Amino acid sequence: TYDYVIVGAGNAGLVIANRLTENPATTVLVLEAGISDQNQIPVMAPFLGPSVTPDTPYDWNYTVVAQPGLDNRTYPYPRGRLLGGSSSANYMIHQYGTNEDWNRVAAVSSDQGWSWNNMKQYIKRHEKIVPPSDGHNTTDQLIPSLHSFTGELQISLPIGNQTTDPFVIATTSQLKEFPYNEDTSGINNNLLGIGWAQSSMDDGLRASSSSSYLASANSRPNLTVMINAMVIKLLSTGSTNGLKAFRNVQFADARTKTVTPAFQVQARKEVILSAGSVGTPQILQLSGIGAPADLAPLHIPVLINSPQVGRNMQDHPLLPNIFTVSGNGSLDDTLRNASAVGAAISQWASSKTGFIANNVINQLGFARLNSTLLKGFTDPAAGPTSPHYEMIFANFWLDPVVTVPATGNFFTILTALLTPTSRGSVKIHSTNPFVAPLIDPNMLATDFDIHTITESVKAIKRFAAAPAWSNYITGAFGTLNGTTDAQLAAHARLHTSTVFHPTSTASMTATSKSPSSGVVNSDLTVKGAAGLRIVDLSVLPFIPSCHPQGPAYMLAERAADLIKASA
Ligand code: FAD
């Protein structure tokens, strides 16, 4: 037995594993279904991030159910299945959300501990800003006085110059609608505007929860991490203070893809579910914690009637908007040329330089709908200074679903809807944990969502019409050529997929509230259960208006404090 058993060595799980084992008397076992991340070139090389998923050994290789809001299309739904979880498989953009995002979590959970004023301390503990490996002057690209240089996870600005960098930055002084933001992390209480991307990387290498939090705790004798360990379900272990306890975890060898033989391990204190927004509700449902209507068809006895398990799912819809460009300054020709890519990878392998050492994104930006465009809608943003949509700039064809044409040079402005009002679900349809659950992000299902993503397309067309682009952008590609709202909405439904940010499938409500309102209390303990806590993005009641790995780290840092305080 161990004091704590953590399910999932992912983004959040490894933060908990590190913090709990700071005390040499505390023993921790982490069970991870996936493989090791060690010496895996696609995982380590920043520019190869988009090749880590989908349809690889590093990915759960999920697919979403047909999406009515997207012309009934389906698309791949990547989740990291290796040490570091999705932090080892993601695109490494690093942010913390807005102060209003966190203050809304505090309001919904009636717990001021989740407010921005309290959560800021966890950024300090978490981040370690490092210089970009090309050593360029970063003045005005990030506000150093607000950041920490002593935490666990390395964060840095982009290296190297993309053809489009000066055009993006020049547009921020040419068009008032798109101001420059000198720190895109959110740490300056201002996400609005366009600026330089901060990424979880250091010296040409990805930084993940595995390369940081796990690496610095790995030699502790009180920490055990087991890979290829597929958790089947949690087993009820009597009761504590009148609540059903779940301190036993059943798991199998993931490589066999069968549940026999099944192994069991007991936690003396707590089981911590950190299996992510898909894995966590799946394990809860397999364990009899869920909505009776979901469990009955599978004959799973209801141990805790918790109707919100797997409900309330949110995700950020992502829409690639592609422009054709003049000349060959985009990366497309290089990326189409296998020997050029091979040479770049060799250069990276020997010196950690060249474009492979950089992230795929150098700039990003955030914007709100104005009051005219919000008319008739209740504003779903966390507050009046939180963005509704995002713009992501890529110096090549970047569409996670549609591959690049055989010829041509492109510039992509991806837009993402940050405040979706659609809610989806994760539901098991088999008692076999190796059968993927039904994943339904329910993209673009509401009038607000389609309206806002359509407005985001109009906004980036205004952006691309700035004088800065006059000698570069030659036209819109494909359905981006539409001009009416109806044509641009059709463009959105045809091309939208995901930024890979599912949240809220085991969402948090005030501790005084029953399981009919949400799955976990404000201290992340599961409502109606003892010995069981959830620490991953599934607990957030609302999706934050940013890339969420930063919030996952912050959440886990505070959760570690809560767990230590209750021990
Ligand atoms: P995860 O990190 O997914 O951890 C869950 C862990 O549990 C995994 O290791 C999984 O294998 C394990 N697990 C699940 N089920 C079981 C089981 N039954 N038994 C044992 N183990 C199990 N965010 C950003 O901020 N910036 C980005 O640029 C960005 N890009 C992304 C790109 C991609 C392709 C993806 C997939 C995600 C991206 N994200 C990005 C999102 C971000 O990485 C995730 O939201 C975040 O890492 C989730 O953290 P988590 O701890 O909730 O879950």
Side-chain angles (χ1 to χ4, degrees):
T1 65
Y2 296 80
D3 291 325
Y4 298 94
V5 177
I6 299 172
V7 177
N11 192 339
L14 290 178
V15 176
I16 301 289
N18 176 310
R19 294 306 180 201
L20 293 182
T21 55
E22 283 172 346
N23 178 348
T26 301
T27 56
V28 171
L29 171 69
V30 188
L31 296 172
E32 167 57 48
I35 57 178
S36 169
D37 63 332
Q38 297 301 296
N39 303 317
Q40 302 295 321
I41 285 174
V43 175
M44 295 157 73
F47 198 91
L48 301 184
S51 74
V52 178
T53 65
D55 203 16
T56 68
Y58 313 113
D59 187 1
W60 284 84
N61 297 322
Y62 297 129
T63 304
V64 297
V65 303
Q67 298 291 288
L70 306 181
D71 303 335
N72 281 322
R73 283 185 297 118
T74 67
Y75 50 85
Y77 208 60
R79 300 278 84 208
R81 193 175 193 271
L82 70 171
L83 290 178
S86 296
S87 79
S88 294
N90 68 21
Y91 291 14
M92 304 179 306
I93 303 288
H94 201 75
Q95 304 184 279
Y96 300 114
T98 67
N99 51 347
E100 294 166 344
D101 283 323
W102 288 102
N103 291 340
R104 176 163 63 180
V105 178
V108 170
S109 65
S110 301
D111 178 351
Q112 281 308 305
W114 295 112
S115 69
W116 176 249
N117 274 343
N118 189 54
M119 294 304 289
K120 274 191 298 198
Q121 65 180 301
Y122 296 110
I123 300 178
K124 280 236 134 51
R125 198 180 288 184
H126 154 70
E127 72 172 7
K128 178 180 183 152
I129 301 288
V130 295
S133 56
D134 62 357
H136 75 266
N137 182 343
T138 60
T139 308
D140 296 337
Q141 297 188 352
L142 154 164
I143 305 172
S145 59
L146 297 176
H147 284 276
S148 164
F149 298 80
T150 55
E152 290 286 332
L153 187 83
Q154 297 90 340
I155 313 292
S156 67
L157 286 160
I159 62 165
N161 288 322
Q162 298 289 354
T163 316
T164 47
D165 290 352
F167 306 149
V168 173
I169 300 303
T171 306
T172 64
S173 52
Q174 291 173 350
L175 301 183
K176 272 206 190 71
E177 182 184 353
F178 304 101
Y180 182 68
N181 184 344
E182 67 173 321
D183 198 310
T184 59
S185 70
I187 206 166
N188 56 344
N189 288 350
N190 175 25
L191 259 190
L192 301 175
I194 289 167
W196 295 90
Q198 299 176 26
S199 297
S200 46
M201 59 181 188
D202 182 16
D203 224 0
L205 289 170
R206 172 193 293 270
S208 67
S209 67
S210 172
S211 74
S212 57
Y213 287 86
L214 176 59
S216 64
N218 219 4
S219 62
R220 295 175 188 158
N222 52 334
L223 173 62
T224 306
V225 180
M226 201 182 277
I227 56 173
N228 299 312
M230 175 77 174
V231 169
I232 301 168
K233 60 180 168 185
L234 314 176
L235 301 175
S236 171
T237 46
S239 63
T240 307
N241 302 329
L243 298 171
K244 276 203 186 72
F246 288 84
R247 291 194 174 86
N248 209 316
V249 182
Q250 198 180 57
F251 64 100
D253 184 336
R255 293 164 297 189
T256 66
K257 296 198 167 68
T258 63
V259 296
T260 46
F263 308 95
Q264 280 184 37
V265 63
Q266 179 103 9
R268 268 186 294 271
K269 291 179 175 156
E270 286 185 15
V271 169
I272 295 154
L273 268 185
S274 297
S277 295
V278 175
T280 285
Q282 180 188 22
I283 293 168
L284 289 171
Q285 290 166 348
L286 289 169
S287 310
I289 303 174
D294 295 346
L295 307 186
L298 300 170
H299 309 291
I300 296 174
V302 179
L303 300 185
I304 296 182
N305 179 342
S306 190
Q308 303 302 328
V309 170
R311 305 293 159 88
N312 304 311
M313 181 188 200
Q314 287 195 292
D315 192 6
H316 291 146
L318 177 79
L319 173 58
N321 302 292
I322 293 174
F323 295 90
T324 51
V325 301
S326 62
N328 55 3
S330 83
L331 284 168
D332 295 293
D333 285 341
T334 308
L335 296 177
R336 281 190 197 103
N337 179 337
S339 63
V341 172
I345 294 175
S346 302
Q347 179 188 345
W348 169 84
S350 62
S351 64
K352 303 293 176 294
T353 58
F355 73 88
I356 299 290
N358 193 23
N359 199 347
V360 292
I361 301 298
N362 280 6
Q363 298 88 20
L364 72 179
F366 298 83
R368 280 181 63 79
L369 297 183
N370 63 27
S371 54
T372 311
L373 293 174
L374 273 173
K375 225 183 223 127
F377 296 106
T378 306
D379 184 357
T385 66
S386 295
H388 294 113
Y389 63 89
E390 176 179 4
M391 296 153 279
I392 304 169
F393 306 98
N395 183 29
F396 61 106
W397 174 288
L398 181 55
D399 181 331
V401 177
V402 183
T403 48
V404 62
T407 57
N409 284 277
F410 304 97
F411 175 60
T412 311
I413 309 181
L414 301 117
T415 54
L417 169 60
L418 299 172
T419 55
T421 55
S422 310
R423 296 257 181 178
S425 62
V426 172
K427 215 188 271 189
I428 54 170
H429 60 129
S430 165
T431 55
N432 181 349
F434 290 98
V435 175
L438 300 173
I439 303 173
D440 180 10
N442 199 20
M443 292 280 185
L444 303 185
T446 64
D447 289 347
F448 177 84
D449 291 5
I450 191 72
H451 166 72
T452 307
I453 201 133
T454 302
E455 288 303 327
S456 77
V457 180
K458 292 187 198 167
I460 59 96
K461 287 184 131 192
R462 292 190 293 273
F463 185 91
W469 301 95
S470 59
N471 291 324
Y472 191 66
I473 290 182
T474 52
F477 184 85
T479 50
L480 185 59
N481 279 298
T483 50
T484 65
D485 280 13
Q487 286 168 335
L488 295 178
H491 160 72
R493 295 199 194 280
L494 183 63
H495 291 292
T496 293
S497 62
T498 172
V499 207
F500 327 104
H501 296 168
T503 66
S504 314
T505 50
S507 75
M508 180 189 337
T509 55
T511 304
S512 58
K513 293 202 168 160
S514 75
S516 64
S517 70
V519 179
V520 298
N521 297 312
S522 79
D523 63 359
L524 309 185
T525 54
V526 173
K527 289 178 188 285
L532 180 59
R533 219 181 280 254
I534 301 177
V535 185
D536 58 34
L537 286 184
S538 68
V539 302
L540 285 183
F542 288 89
I543 192 166
S545 51
C546 69
H547 294 259
Q549 69 166 344
Y553 284 109
M554 292 163 76
L555 175 103
E557 286 279 12
R558 174 163 193 246
D561 273 1
L562 292 169
I563 295 166
K564 286 175 177 175
S566 75

